[in-house]
Amino acid sequence: MASSPFPKISSMIRSIVFSLFFFACFCNGFYLPGSYMNTYLQGQKIFAKVNSLTSIETELPFSYYSLPYCEPEGGIKKSAENLGELLMGDQIDNSPYRFRMNKNESLYICTSNPLTEHETNLLKQRTDDRYQVNMILDNLPAMRYAKQKGINIQWTGFPVGYTPTGSNEDYIINHLKFKVLVHEYEGSAMEIISTGEEGMGVISKPDEKASGYEIVGFEVVPCSVKRDPEAMSKLKMYDTIDTMDCSLEPEKSQVIRERERVSFTYEVEFVKSDIRWPSRWDAYLKMEGARIHWFSILNSLMVIFFLAGIVFVIFLRTVRRDLTRYEELDKEAQAQMNEELSGWKLVVGDVFREPECSKLLCVMVGDGVQIAGMAVVTIVFAAFGFMSPASRGMLLTGMIILYLILGIAAGYVGVRLWCTIKGHSDGWRSVSWSVACFFSGIVFAVLMVLNFVLWGSKSTSALPISLFFVLLSLWFCISVPLTLLGGFLGTRAEPIQFPVRTNQIPREIPARKYPSWLLVLGAGTLPFGTLFIELFFILSSIWLGRFYYVFGFLLVVLLLLVTVCAEVSVVLTYMHLCVEDWRWWWKAYFASGSVALYVFLYSINYLVFDLQSLSGPVSAILYLGYSLLMAFAIMLSTGTIGFLTSFYFVHYLFSSVKID
């Protein structure tokens, strides 16, 4: 007598619950504080933090202290980071830059030892590659303003150094002029409590009054200042010095040269502002080019209405007319008409014949459901403001959590489709394992190769071995068991019954003047037309270090993309059936999934024409590797949307036919 599967399933559920608990503990243990409001008292000490050095030319982040900068008095201490920050290569450390709330100061930090040949070459290389120093104060990135050709431009961070036009010398940024915007808080029913270095927490206290300052802006003006190292080295850290005016004259700037000693100083000015704490990120998230976003949406709507008209014609004028005329005939007339059938009605005995590589199709559809579900839920949450930019890495962490949990949906859909095609559930475990390992395994393999490249470059974005083991644990302890559980539930669900029987001998497909795959590949241009404008902003956010936070537009574009994919796949499927081509399964999948080909080609176009500053083979390998993964994920998700829509269209179409 066979043993019951339920004890195995219950033990699987226990392991999943334990794994989710472990993952929650892991994410909480690596959470970066600062997403809550901090209020500071007059004169309270606040220390800025430093993130990894970044460059749009190499896309390889490096540690701030890989350069000969001044270290804090108590030594370098790394801040807690969540999973998303670790995967993005962020490395947040403490810094010696100390501020005292609402007190303007000009202070000395330290004077470096004479620069060695290695340090000199490294500083010159980082300057030539246009690396930026990224500082953080109260979880706000330092912002820099400049004017070019009469246009105000803003950046986050400041350069390591610069090279004047027509000069062969490089100069280091060693003096920083900070402006901290503060909003004075006064009110009752609040009490200020200490939360350590991050600031003061605010809790309810109805019988007392509280006052303090909230940091609502953090700006920096970088300067290069030549100082006497002998005189400066006699000072102690945080000794007061005279304020300086930034000068671009070479003789007054600190050159990067071997045996030179560099003195690091800074000054800070506190300015009261009417900006309130909830609005302090508005300066970083200013939405530019709103008209372009609206143009993209209107363009997509035109494509949707065009395709919707075609679908309307197919359903109401062609299909409905044929079915109505057929049903009005008596049996003798129907039998005579069966001999005169043409078009899609001729393939009634082959339309549900098992496709080639049916297992691979089930696996790709299951993974597509998982990826599409993750994307939709993440963008919905982001559009409604649940993922604040103040919580660095939270977007990526949320995507990983959703991907792991949606493994149950992937297993269910993949196995149920398998049972529907085969007519039985034999082999469902193999399908479930394939669904769990197909996309994740490919991503893991590509990331391993890219990580070896990053290790060779000694970049902070290289994942440590310990994090790889954590990712493997999450994969096999959460995603795989959930996928197997979903597959088990898929075997318990009733398979979808085909409305017509399949003939034993396949029908011969008439020869065509042009290959059908040419039409399938061309169909991907329509979904790409709804996506490419928003794709430009997304690529700019990833590779040019710009903030992307117009998730409302992205949500609308995503809904339009889903609609276009569904319509394109239905139209192409109907066209193939009309020419008696019953092999529609894979063609329906790639009719919408072929948009990934155009996304990858557009990524190459973006690399050549918009990322001209990107230099070096390592940077190109990283860019192409990540772009390939993105295109592959888009193919699985859009292909799944098109296939499922076409499947239900074909099922509905032939369920109305009474041909035996």
Side-chain angles (χ1 to χ4, degrees):
M1 182 176 180
S3 60
S4 172
F6 288 101
K8 296 181 180 179
I9 295 299
S10 62
S11 62
M12 185 187 302
I13 294 175
R14 284 197 299 270
S15 67
I16 292 170
V17 172
F18 175 78
S19 302
L20 288 172
F21 175 76
F22 161 76
F23 184 57
C25 294
F26 174 82
C27 290
N28 289 334
F30 283 85
Y31 174 70
L32 177 64
S35 58
Y36 50 83
M37 182 174 68
N38 292 326
T39 306
Y40 300 92
L41 299 177
Q42 175 76 28
Q44 182 180 346
K45 293 181 181 179
I46 317 163
F47 286 87
K49 295 184 177 182
V50 288
N51 204 339
S52 301
L53 305 173
T54 56
S55 169
I56 62 173
E57 291 195 359
T58 65
E59 298 297 339
L60 296 173
F62 291 97
S63 170
Y64 173 81
Y65 291 106
S66 63
L67 297 180
Y69 287 128
C70 302
E71 297 185 3
E73 288 181 320
I76 302 172
K77 298 177 182 178
K78 298 184 182 299
S79 296
E81 295 173 320
N82 58 39
L83 182 61
E85 288 176 304
L86 294 173
L87 291 174
M88 291 190 299
D90 288 348
Q91 182 175 316
I92 301 176
D93 303 317
N94 60 336
S95 80
Y97 290 93
R98 184 206 70 187
F99 306 144
R100 288 190 285 186
M101 175 53 69
N102 210 27
K103 185 174 182 180
N104 299 339
E105 296 178 298
S106 182
L107 304 175
Y108 164 81
I109 303 179
C110 76
T111 300
S112 69
N113 294 323
L115 296 178
T116 63
E117 181 181 0
H118 172 72
E119 292 173 337
T120 303
N121 293 335
L122 193 60
L123 281 171
K124 285 179 173 290
Q125 181 181 350
R126 297 290 182 263
T127 300
D128 294 341
D129 291 337
R130 297 198 295 175
Y131 269 86
Q132 300 281 317
V133 178
N134 301 291
M135 299 192 71
I136 305 167
L137 181 66
D138 193 42
N139 213 27
L140 282 179
M143 183 178 290
R144 176 168 56 101
Y145 292 92
K147 182 172 287 188
Q148 291 183 359
K149 299 180 180 179
I151 302 175
N152 291 323
I153 302 176
Q154 65 181 45
W155 293 274
T156 54
F158 58 89
V160 169
Y162 65 94
T163 305
T165 304
S167 174
N168 295 324
E169 297 285 358
D170 297 319
Y171 297 88
I172 187 174
I173 299 298
N174 64 333
H175 181 75
L176 302 175
K177 300 169 74 73
F178 294 107
K179 180 192 289 186
V180 181
L181 305 180
V182 295
H183 179 78
E184 188 171 3
Y185 170 80
E186 290 184 0
S188 58
M190 304 295 289
E191 181 186 0
I192 301 177
I193 60 172
S194 174
T195 57
E197 184 181 308
E198 292 295 334
M200 308 297 287
V202 181
I203 63 173
S204 175
K205 195 77 173 178
D207 298 331
E208 297 182 10
K209 290 187 176 182
S211 63
Y213 297 92
E214 303 161 354
I215 296 177
V216 295
F218 184 38
E219 301 173 9
V220 62
V221 177
C223 309
S224 180
V225 179
K226 175 69 175 177
R227 297 183 183 272
D228 182 7
E230 297 298 330
M232 299 300 293
S233 59
K234 296 178 181 178
L235 300 175
K236 296 180 180 179
M237 185 177 285
Y238 305 127
D239 280 353
T240 303
I241 59 173
D242 296 332
T243 59
M244 299 287 297
D245 292 328
C246 291
S247 175
L248 296 178
E249 299 179 15
E251 59 273 8
K252 295 183 179 180
S253 302
Q254 178 61 58
V255 68
I256 301 175
R257 189 180 297 155
E258 191 175 352
R259 307 303 301 171
E260 283 282 330
R261 299 183 67 188
V262 182
S263 297
F264 292 91
T265 56
Y266 71 99
E267 53 189 272
V268 57
E269 176 188 10
F270 287 86
V271 179
K272 290 186 179 181
S273 173
D274 293 330
I275 301 173
R276 293 188 173 272
W277 192 88
S279 304
R280 65 180 191 157
W281 277 90
D282 291 354
Y284 300 86
L285 306 177
K286 284 182 179 178
M287 186 181 64
E288 298 179 357
R291 292 184 178 180
I292 299 177
H293 293 280
W294 283 117
F295 171 78
S296 172
I297 292 174
L298 291 175
N299 174 64
S300 303
L301 286 173
M302 292 177 63
V303 174
I304 285 177
F305 288 141
F306 172 73
L307 292 174
I310 297 178
V311 174
F312 180 80
V313 170
I314 289 174
F315 269 109
L316 295 187
R317 296 193 57 185
T318 307
V319 178
R320 275 297 179 188
R321 182 187 60 194
D322 291 350
L323 292 176
T324 302
R325 187 180 62 178
Y326 182 84
E327 291 171 354
E328 290 176 351
L329 300 176
D330 54 22
K331 292 185 177 180
E332 184 178 348
Q334 288 181 9
Q336 182 180 358
M337 185 178 179
N338 290 343
E339 300 176 359
E340 301 174 356
L341 290 177
S342 62
W344 60 270
K345 295 176 284 294
L346 282 173
V347 297
V348 66
D350 298 274
V351 68
F352 292 109
R353 187 177 301 279
E354 180 180 344
E356 297 179 354
C357 304
S358 57
K359 181 179 178 180
L360 178 60
L361 178 64
C362 296
V363 170
M364 294 176 68
V365 169
D367 281 332
V369 168
Q370 190 174 9
I371 297 169
M374 174 198 69
V376 170
V377 176
T378 301
I379 294 174
V380 167
F381 271 79
F384 285 97
F386 288 101
M387 295 184 179
S388 168
S391 301
R392 289 178 184 82
M394 209 57 203
L395 185 65
L396 184 56
T397 303
M399 292 175 65
I400 294 174
I401 294 174
L402 288 170
Y403 181 81
L404 295 174
I405 295 175
L406 288 173
I408 190 170
Y412 177 84
V413 173
V415 169
R416 191 174 185 198
L417 180 61
W418 170 260
C419 296
T420 299
I421 294 175
K422 291 291 186 179
H424 54 77
S425 61
D426 295 344
W428 72 269
R429 291 181 180 85
S430 175
V431 174
S432 298
W433 272 101
S434 300
V435 170
C437 299
F438 179 69
F439 177 71
S440 301
I442 292 175
V443 171
F444 199 85
V446 173
L447 289 181
M448 277 288 291
V449 174
L450 297 180
N451 210 56
F452 280 119
V453 174
L454 292 171
W455 275 336
S457 303
K458 298 180 180 179
S459 170
T460 59
S461 60
L463 304 181
I465 292 293
S466 58
L467 186 57
F468 265 104
F469 282 111
V470 169
L471 293 175
L472 280 173
S473 301
L474 296 177
W475 180 10
F476 285 101
C477 295
I478 298 180
S479 182
V480 171
L482 282 175
T483 306
L484 292 174
L485 177 60
F488 174 78
L489 296 176
T491 62
R492 296 298 175 183
E494 183 179 354
I496 301 172
Q497 299 297 325
F498 293 142
V500 293
R501 291 190 300 178
T502 301
N503 298 333
Q504 292 184 351
I505 301 176
R507 179 184 178 84
E508 184 179 357
I509 300 174
R512 303 181 64 176
K513 296 181 179 179
Y514 55 89
S516 59
W517 285 103
L518 189 63
L519 187 62
V520 170
L521 291 177
T525 57
L526 293 174
F528 179 73
T530 69
L531 180 66
F532 79 98
I533 293 179
E534 211 63 35
L535 185 62
F536 170 80
F537 290 97
I538 294 174
L539 292 176
S540 298
S541 171
I542 296 173
W543 299 106
L544 296 180
R546 299 173 183 171
F547 282 97
Y548 182 89
Y549 213 67
V550 286
F551 289 105
F553 281 112
L554 185 59
L555 177 60
V556 174
V557 170
L558 178 65
L559 297 177
L560 297 177
L561 177 65
V562 170
T563 306
V564 172
C565 287
E567 293 178 344
V568 163
S569 186
V570 167
V571 172
L572 263 291
T573 299
Y574 181 76
M575 291 176 63
H576 282 103
L577 294 178
C578 284
V579 294
E580 304 175 29
D581 187 353
W582 47 265
R583 295 175 302 184
W584 60 272
W585 302 76
W586 281 108
K587 293 171 184 176
Y589 190 96
F590 286 111
S592 54
S594 59
V595 65
L597 173 64
Y598 299 99
V599 169
F600 186 70
L601 293 177
Y602 181 81
S603 300
I604 297 177
N605 173 80
Y606 186 85
L607 171 65
V608 174
F609 295 102
D610 294 284
L611 280 182
Q612 297 176 353
S613 58
L614 199 67
S615 60
V618 174
S619 304
I621 291 172
L622 292 175
Y623 178 87
L624 293 176
Y626 290 131
S627 298
L628 188 62
L629 288 180
M630 179 181 67
F632 185 52
I634 291 175
M635 183 201 72
L636 291 176
S637 55
T638 55
T640 297
I641 293 168
F643 170 79
L644 293 178
T645 308
S646 293
F647 180 84
Y648 284 105
F649 164 73
V650 173
H651 189 278
Y652 169 80
L653 180 63
F654 285 90
S655 64
S656 304
V657 177
K658 298 180 181 179
I659 301 175
D660 190 7

